[in-house]
Structures are given as structure tokens and as C-alpha cells.
Amino acid sequence: MTTPTCRWGILGAAFIARKNWQAIRDAGNASLVAVASRDLARAQAFVAECQSSAPHPTVPEAMNSYEKLLARTDIDAVYIPLPTGLRREWAIRAAEAGKHILIEKPAGRDAAEVAAIIAACEKHGVQFMDGVMFMHSRRLRRLRDVMDQEAGHIRHIASQFSVSSGEDFQKTNIRSHGTLEPLGCLGDLGWYCLRFSLWAMNEATPVHVTGRIHDETAQQPDSPSVPLAFSGTLTFAGGCSASFYCSFTAAVAQWAIVSGDKALVQVSDFVLPFAGSRTTFRLIRSAFVLDRCRTDVPEGGHEETVDEPSNNAPGSQESAMFADFSRLVLSGGRDPRWPQLSLLTQRVLDACLLSAREGSRVVDLSDEGN
């Protein structure tokens, strides 16, 4: 008996799509039918390169038209890694074509765009989800169990995601182009920090947020400036706070710490797990030990391990994301949590950027109208 599969198309030959090419193959309930680019030669080169590295049983077709890919009747869902500035248009077109949508983050230029995409998906009965891979990892589920059982009441969440860019970054990299990627490092990296903080707080909306831009690109006639280094804070009801830092100018880092009143959990690689066949995090219960003139601080920690490959393998968080999405499509059901979480993340991101643009003033999110 043939196992049902969700049939996928990729809208755009972006670099990040290379990883997800293999994730679709490894999902177990998905198949890749076609990849479209505005340039047929680019689509062909993308397919040839990816097929040589992670071959699909049937070579996906290279196409030179997004419209023609969306018109195909043999595609159920599309993965959209197009630049942020183009996502609203093509996500809405995909929804109108009846295609389920997995989209890269940030999901749009602002919350109004994301709300318009979600409305189109609801109108046409298709599933929407953003591409935050770690939300589908086995480690995150284990982390939740440990946090709930061991950490106690959460007091603070801290995170950093940074990638040091080269000297030509501002001239050549799309992520520094204000029209195509208007949110800079905040959209590309900060989205993950915000999502982790919101996840840790069971997707509660912060009461207040602040933001600060530490470095940004020079404004050009055809390209507004975008953040290159950004920090922000979130304050939740009940007194918990979160702080994050994202940057294209600092050394590679992707750590997160959740501090409770009983213990803290520490993840050194919360976005992209370090290479290996297992994912890990640490539970730490430190204490001050005083003995007359002597002071010691035993770490009191231990490592939790999960049998989960870091990437590019069945069971990785990337393949799990496509498996989870494909399962929803094949079931005929829709999960409203995913679009709601995307919209919440975008609203918080927008508020952080607004704060930064207005002298780091406190932005109130307690009223849905703000």
C-alpha cells in the first residue's frame, strides 16, 4: 500500500531552501515536485546542485514561473523562502491557488501584512505556518518538561543569536537591503529570539517592550537603513522579563537561558543544533556555600540529552517541521495555533522596532489596539 504524501513546491531558489530540500525528502510523508525561480537557469542549477547532494527519488522539475508552479494540480503545499518584501504578494497568491503555505521568517514586513496573509489562508481553507524549525524539535518538548518540573516560576529569559558578517555584507547581501529585507538582523535573527521567549512563556503576549538599534546600514536612495545589531526587552504580566540581542556584527552565538526561581536551563545552540547525533541542554542549580572565610559555588548542573540529529537527517528538526506540516495537510485539518503564533511574533517584533526608532520608549502591548 502506498503511503500518502504531501506534494510540495518551492517558490524561489534561496540559499536557505537548500537545507529544506533535504528536509522534505527526509520527512517521510512528503515529496518535492517542483522548484520555481524567475530565472530558469537558476532553478535548473539549484535542482542539479541539490539533487547531487541529497537526491530525491524523482528529480523535481525546474520552472521559470511562480505563477505556473501555483497553477499546478499536482502540488498541495508550497515552501516560500522569497525575500521578506515579496512574501505578502506570493503568500496570498498561493492561498488563492489553494496551496498550503510554509513561509520563511519574518512572515512579513509588519503585522498588517501577516494578518492579510492569514486572512487569505482562512478564506481559502489552507494551513499557514512559519519556518521556525526548533518549534518542531524533540529537544524543545523535553525542555518544556524539564522547565515545568524543575525550574519553578520563570523570572527571566535571555537569548542571543548573532552571525559575524564580512566587509562586503552591506554591499552584496540581501539581508542588508532595506527594500527586500527591511527588518535586517531583527527579522532574520531576532525572530528566533522572540519566538523562543514567547514559547517559554506559553505564548503569552508581553505587556511592554523596548528596543534599541546598536548599528545599522547606511541609508541609500533605493534602500532604507536596516538594523545590523539590535537588543530588546519584553516584560510579561506577573513580573517575568526577557532580553535578547541579535547581530550581524558579533561572533556566532545562539544561546538561550531560562531562569526560574528554583533552577535555570541553558541551551547553547537553540536555533541550529551543534553537529552530532544528539541535541542537549543543561539544567543548573547553583548555590553559594559559605564556610568561614571560604566561599564556593558548585555548579550543580547536569546535561540532558535527546537522541535527535542536528540537521540533514531523518528526525532532525527541519525534517520534523515538514513532517508536521504535511501531516496537517494530509489530515484535512487546520491548526490555528501556527498562524496565531506567527502574528504574535510579528506584533512583538514590530513593537521592538517602533521603540528603537522612537528613542527606546516603552511600547505598551497590553491593549490589542496598540
Side-chain angles (χ1 to χ4, degrees):
M1 181 176 179
T2 303
T3 302
T5 61
C6 178
R7 301 166 299 176
W8 285 84
I10 297 179
L11 220 60
F15 178 80
I16 194 172
R18 285 166 164 75
K19 175 188 289 188
N20 288 326
W21 162 288
Q22 178 162 347
I24 294 171
R25 187 196 70 174
D26 292 340
N29 58 355
S31 60
L32 181 57
V33 175
V35 177
S37 171
R38 289 299 196 190
D39 181 346
L40 180 59
R42 185 180 182 197
Q44 291 171 331
F46 177 92
V47 169
E49 180 180 351
C50 292
Q51 186 70 6
S52 68
S53 174
H56 285 253
T58 301
V59 180
E61 181 180 346
M63 303 181 67
N64 66 347
S65 169
Y66 301 152
E67 295 91 341
K68 290 180 180 179
L69 186 147
L70 293 178
R72 294 181 67 140
T73 59
D74 59 347
I75 289 178
D76 305 306
V78 290
Y79 165 57
I80 305 179
L82 294 170
T84 303
L86 304 178
R87 285 176 192 159
R88 178 185 183 276
E89 174 188 357
W90 288 103
I92 290 177
R93 287 196 183 195
E96 291 171 344
K99 309 304 183 190
H100 303 274
I101 299 165
L102 178 62
I103 200 166
E104 268 306 324
K105 28 48 59 193
R109 284 181 284 202
D110 54 36
E113 286 200 349
V114 178
I117 295 170
I118 292 171
C121 291
E122 291 176 349
K123 178 180 179 180
H124 297 282
V126 297
Q127 179 69 50
F128 176 89
M129 183 188 290
D130 66 47
V132 179
M133 304 85 65
F134 66 70
M135 294 294 296
H136 305 268
S137 69
R138 293 198 293 274
R139 173 170 63 176
L140 204 70
R141 294 195 294 272
R142 177 59 182 152
L143 186 62
R144 170 64 70 195
D145 290 341
V146 171
M147 284 169 48
D148 290 348
Q149 296 168 14
E150 307 288 348
H153 185 71
I154 296 176
R155 299 300 185 184
H156 186 69
I157 305 150
S159 59
Q160 175 175 334
F161 190 15
S162 54
V163 179
S164 183
S165 55
E167 295 180 0
D168 293 335
F169 182 85
Q170 294 190 38
K171 298 178 181 177
T172 62
N173 195 289
I174 189 176
R175 290 175 292 178
S176 67
H177 194 287
T179 301
L180 294 174
E181 294 293 349
L183 302 174
C185 70
L186 179 59
D188 189 57
L189 307 176
W191 183 278
Y192 291 105
C193 297
L194 291 171
R195 176 59 59 80
F196 184 87
S197 296
L198 294 171
W199 168 83
M201 293 301 295
N202 291 304
E203 299 163 24
T205 302
V207 178
H208 303 108
V209 307
T210 63
R212 182 178 297 276
I213 297 172
H214 301 283
D215 193 7
E216 61 186 331
T217 60
Q219 187 163 346
Q220 303 294 332
D222 64 338
S223 178
S225 62
V226 302
L228 292 173
F230 192 100
S231 65
T233 62
L234 318 178
T235 302
F236 295 88
C240 178
S241 62
S243 59
F244 72 94
Y245 174 76
C246 55
S247 174
F248 288 141
T249 62
V252 172
Q254 46 165 341
W255 55 264
I257 298 173
V258 180
S259 298
D261 56 7
K262 296 180 180 179
L264 64 85
V265 292
Q266 183 179 52
V267 190
S268 298
D269 54 350
F270 80 98
V271 181
L272 298 170
F274 295 141
S277 60
R278 301 182 304 167
T279 52
T280 66
F281 63 92
R282 291 186 63 77
L283 174 68
I284 300 174
R285 291 191 188 87
S286 297
F288 291 99
V289 178
L290 304 177
D291 180 9
R292 292 162 293 177
C293 297
R294 181 182 176 88
T295 303
D296 289 314
V297 186
E299 182 186 19
H302 72 272
E303 186 172 80
E304 295 273 344
T305 64
V306 179
D307 289 328
E308 180 178 39
S310 59
N311 57 38
N312 301 113
S316 67
Q317 61 185 20
E318 290 83 7
S319 64
M321 177 175 68
F322 280 92
D324 289 346
F325 192 99
S326 297
R327 194 174 302 113
L328 274 173
V329 172
L330 294 169
S331 72
R334 304 290 173 264
D335 188 344
R337 175 192 174 221
W338 295 111
Q340 290 167 3
L341 186 52
S342 294
L343 185 57
L344 173 60
T345 308
Q346 190 83 46
R347 286 185 60 239
V348 175
L349 186 152
D350 289 356
C352 288
L353 186 57
L354 175 63
S355 170
R357 296 294 190 199
E358 297 185 356
S360 297
R361 75 171 177 88
V362 176
V363 175
D364 187 353
L365 283 176
S366 60
D367 183 347
E368 286 290 326
N370 285 351

